[in-house]
Amino acid sequence: MVAKLPEEEHPKQAFGWAARDESGVLSPFTFSRRETGEKDVCFKVLYCGMCHSDLHMVKNEWGTSTYPLVPGHEIVGVVTEVGSKVEKFKAGDKVGVGCMVGSCHSCHNCTNNLENYCPEMILTYGAKYYDGTTTYGGYSNIMVADEHFIVRIPDTLPLDATAPLLCAGITVYSPLKHYGLNKPGMHVGVVGLGGLGHMAVKFAKAMGVKVTVISTSPSKKQEAVEHLGADSFLVSRDQYQMKTAMGTMDGIIDTVSAMHPLVPLIGLLKTSGKLVLVGAPEKPLELPAFPLLMGRKMVGGSCIGGMKETQEMIDFAAKHNIAADIEVIPIEDVNTAMERILKADVRYRFVIDIGNTISSAL
């Protein structure tokens, strides 16, 4: 038995936008979602955020893409159907899916609520599901996922501005917590003021942390301080500013996905300070040992978060009225938006209005 809205037909055919090759151009695409299994939740997609990794994937810049590829892992909507053994959700609930839709459930990471580090973790798009089919993401009108990988969205959060929290939000929330950079009074730097960076500022400030935004663009100072509430701003290309701030930060969240020098950032850290990388540049970054040795400093990384922590992050966002700053677009503008993401021309996250535009664009 499957519980569903009275007028809802069981979804079989789905509509989305897909890239067909490494040119990265997206166009309308019809495909099938699987039957709603006993532990599955099916929901109508209303909004989907556009992540910088979507750009990497549609152009196969990481060398792992398979086509056709339907991107999107910041997916929110309303439940239309649940399987007979689903316990946490019902038709009409507001829900979301982030970067993963499967894991082994039995390894050390899974049993410690770290499904995001499971060796068998299944990505929301561009991966192989248990039945051998390709996973397709949220640039589509319907989503089906195991309830374990579904997040509940509180009614107080706006769905469109909540979508980016499912990747950008958890990507910065998790390292702030794990590396102990969430204690009131600490001083944390945030490198880059884009989709990830602006969320890092918001979460860190809500945790009671002193925040300095570090950017190559002096023009972003007013935005960082007056709009987002950062305590200070550093221009990373200004040697005087960087020298003055040396040894002042407990940690740094580095969100930049392009090639950039790490040594100046390491210099900003206090003794035992932590530089945490959450961006994913296409090529290796240079990391000399000596700056780390002289100060017992650490360089670490972090990748999204487990499902328990992702729900915790969403609930924290609801409590502190945290949402992404977004630009909502129709699906037919997705290729233009990809070009603008490449130029960092967005404040700060594109969100596709799937619910109102995907059918009309097909």
Side-chain angles (χ1 to χ4, degrees), residues 82-235:
V82 297
S84 58
K85 292 187 178 180
V86 169
E87 300 176 352
K88 297 185 292 184
F89 303 98
K90 64 183 186 306
D93 286 347
K94 297 176 182 177
V95 296
V97 165
C99 301
M100 56 184 168
V101 291
S103 69
C104 76
H105 298 287
S106 60
C107 69
H108 175 77
N109 287 325
C110 283
T111 55
N112 283 280
N113 299 305
L114 294 170
E115 302 93 339
N116 51 312
Y117 298 119
C118 172
E120 299 179 28
M121 186 260 287
I122 301 173
L123 295 171
T124 300
Y125 68 85
K128 290 295 182 183
Y129 203 65
Y130 303 115
D131 59 5
T133 59
T134 299
T135 58
Y136 293 121
Y139 293 19
S140 59
N141 64 334
I142 296 168
M143 191 70 196
V144 180
D146 185 291
E147 74 165 329
H148 183 79
F149 297 93
I150 300 282
V151 174
R152 181 180 301 279
I153 309 295
D155 288 336
T156 55
L157 287 175
L159 279 182
D160 54 358
T162 297
L165 300 186
L166 294 168
C167 175
I170 188 60
T171 295
V172 296
Y173 179 90
S174 184
L176 284 168
K177 278 196 60 188
H178 175 75
Y179 288 99
L181 301 176
N182 60 339
K183 299 176 176 60
M186 280 190 145
H187 185 188
V188 171
V190 174
V191 187
L193 198 62
L196 295 178
H198 92 289
M199 293 308 311
V201 174
K202 291 188 178 190
F203 277 115
K205 288 301 297 179
M207 293 168 177
V209 172
K210 177 183 176 182
V211 177
T212 295
V213 170
I214 306 161
S215 173
T216 59
S217 305
S219 60
K220 292 187 177 181
K221 179 177 181 178
Q222 183 177 359
E223 174 76 7
V225 175
E226 296 183 11
H227 175 66
L228 295 174
D231 298 280
S232 55
F233 186 90
L234 277 179
V235 179

Side-chain angles (χ1 to χ4, degrees), residues 47-48 50 327-338 340 350-354 357:
Y47 298 98
C48 184
M50 294 181 68
E327 182 176 334
V328 179
I329 63 166
I331 187 67
E332 57 264 32
D333 288 352
V334 67
N335 289 305
T336 301
M338 285 285 186
R340 288 180 57 192
F350 285 117
V351 172
I352 308 169
D353 184 352
I354 299 290
T357 67

